[in-house]
Amino acid sequence: MRHGPSLTAQWVAFARAAGGYLPPELVLAEDPYGARFAEIPSALLTRFASTAPQLTQTLLLHAGLLSDLVLWMQLRTRAIDDVLLSFLREGYAQAVILGAGYDARALRFSEQLGDAKIFEVDHPHTQSYKLSRIAKVARVSYLPWDFEHMPMHELPAALEKLGLA
């Protein structure tokens, strides 16, 4: 049983933050909030990048699995961003993000959200840590949910209680 925030969410946040140090032609998505959740590796990378930006770019492209993770997160983040923004442009007023982790889309796209309502669902420890690092967003409802131990058939009713129509 997990007793703390998700390590996976921390690594994903780090990889999204590290993506900002890639060569400009490889940056597909920017997440200025990612570094807030993976403090130690992000702080070290930021310090290193500020003193040796060219070397940082080279290392990020030739760091084996780390390079793969950073590049994959660029693609994954951009794909999810594009779907959400398309969804909003088509006039949908609600979106649910399951396993939101340390995603900060509601902050990154606050202008594009307009009056749309976002529902973020994630493990209670991960969500609690997230909300200790960033401010709650007015148009976001946060639902703590342990996917491993809570019945999925109860999730729709829990979302409806928060206002999902």
Side-chain angles (χ1 to χ4, degrees):
M1 181 174 186
R2 183 172 27 160
H3 296 288
S6 166
L7 292 176
T8 300
Q10 290 176 30
W11 275 104
V12 168
F14 168 75
R16 283 195 316 262
Y21 297 106
L22 290 168
E25 65 274 11
L26 296 177
V27 176
L28 301 175
E30 294 186 29
D31 180 5
Y33 302 99
R36 296 183 188 190
F37 305 110
E39 296 171 351
I40 293 172
S42 290
L44 292 173
L45 177 66
T46 301
R47 190 174 317 127
F48 184 74
S50 68
T51 59
Q54 294 295 89
L55 183 56
T56 301
Q57 288 181 357
T58 301
L59 286 174
L60 281 175
L61 291 175
H62 302 287
L65 291 175
L66 179 61
S67 299
D68 295 345
L69 177 64
V70 171
L71 292 168
W72 170 247
M73 280 307 123
Q74 283 291 293
L75 289 169
R76 177 183 182 265
T77 301
R78 178 60 183 267
I80 295 169
D81 289 353
D82 287 352
V83 168
L84 177 64
L85 292 173
S86 173
F87 191 73
L88 294 170
R89 277 192 302 274
E90 290 176 24
Y92 291 95
Q94 298 180 323
V96 177
I97 301 175
L98 299 174
Y102 299 135
D103 170 80
R105 281 184 178 84
L107 284 171
R108 291 191 296 122
F109 298 124
S110 60
E111 288 183 28
Q112 293 94 327
L113 282 176
D115 294 327
K117 180 84 169 167
I118 303 295
F119 297 85
E120 289 192 5
V121 183
D122 209 335
H123 192 276
H125 296 306
T126 301
Q127 198 170 75
S128 175
Y129 183 74
K130 176 182 184 172
L131 294 174
S132 76
R133 310 303 283 168
I134 60 174
K136 284 187 175 183
V137 178
R139 292 177 308 275
V140 178
S141 290
Y142 301 91
L143 178 61
W145 196 268
D146 185 339
F147 289 98
E148 293 177 9
H149 297 100
M150 297 172 78
M152 287 301 292
H153 70 272
E154 294 177 6
L155 183 59
L159 285 164
E160 286 175 11
K161 285 182 184 176
L162 287 178
L164 181 69

